[in-house]
Amino acid sequence: MINTSINIAGIILKNPVMPASGTFGSGQEYREFIDLNKLGAVVTKGVSYYPWEGNPTPRIMETSSGMINAVGLQNPGIDVFIKRDIPFLKQFDTKIIVNVCGNTIADYLKVVECLSNQPVDMLEINISCPNVEHGGMAFGQEPKMVEHITAEIKKITRTPISMKLTPNVTDITEIARAAEAGGADAISLINTITGMVIDTKKRKFSVANKTGGLSGPAIKPIALRMVYQVYHAVRLPIIAMGGISSTNDALEFIMAGATGIAVGTANFNNPFVMPEIIDGLERYMTENKIKDFEEIRGIVN
């Protein structure tokens, strides 16, 4: 008999599949398409302390093998999230992972503190946000800052935290080690890669922000390489994302070392993709007589 469950920082998920933050709202937007009970977890859209309006439009543009987004983490703030979204998600038999964003360390800490007594299973800390106190560089681009913000968050919450890393760095393993040193319980990677699209007819940028985050199949080989590197650099479980749109994609990431599988851009193209991947993983395990994902995790060397 196969066992599809996984363990991330002591939290047991019935299977490894979940949405990537920002591609699934807080689940309400997709409930007419899929049964949320089937997912290992629901990862929410980023939540800040105060409401964020996001960037000006246009802010999403298709590319040949993915999309560019510069939404700017638009969200109604923590108070609305606690009142509206958590009660909705508690109706379902799935784990709740809340993505947290901020522009200062104090911003992150206030959100984490608000969530500390809420019935959520894990926090995913988005450190790709710009640090407005230090010139706008993303929190996740400087190892000492990664270690510091991780340690500060761990001081005020017992809820497990996964640090979501930006790929826009020279050495992803250096950043992952800093998160581990700060006390992170897991690593989420990768976030989007900074990119640009130009409309040659209008002779202007396709998104108002000029640059945006590239996601989708185009970034999968990069994400796979980074997951492999981080798996061999730290001892933390990894929630992998970046262009995953099929069972085979998910298996590649598991074989590279991932514990969890987060599906992002593919949800826009096919809202049924996550249940399809879950069913595909079960078939693969049955056909290949694999009882547990640990048999194939990190199997490539």
Side-chain angles (χ1 to χ4, degrees), residues 14-33:
K14 67 180 71 174
N15 63 65
V17 180
M18 64 194 82
S21 176
T23 66
F24 202 69
S26 290
Q28 296 194 47
E29 295 84 346
Y30 280 81
R31 62 179 169 177
E32 295 181 7
F33 296 99

Side-chain angles (χ1 to χ4, degrees), residues 160-173:
I161 66 170
S162 180
M163 303 304 288
K164 187 169 185 178
L165 307 189
T166 173
N168 301 306
V169 295
T170 303
D171 184 356
I172 193 66
T173 63

Side-chain angles (χ1 to χ4, degrees), residues 9 73 76 88 97 109 115 129 157 166 185 192 259 290 295:
L73 295 168
F88 169 78
I97 302 176
L109 296 180
L115 291 168
C129 302
T157 184
T166 173
D185 300 288
T192 55
T259 297
I290 295 169
E295 294 182 30

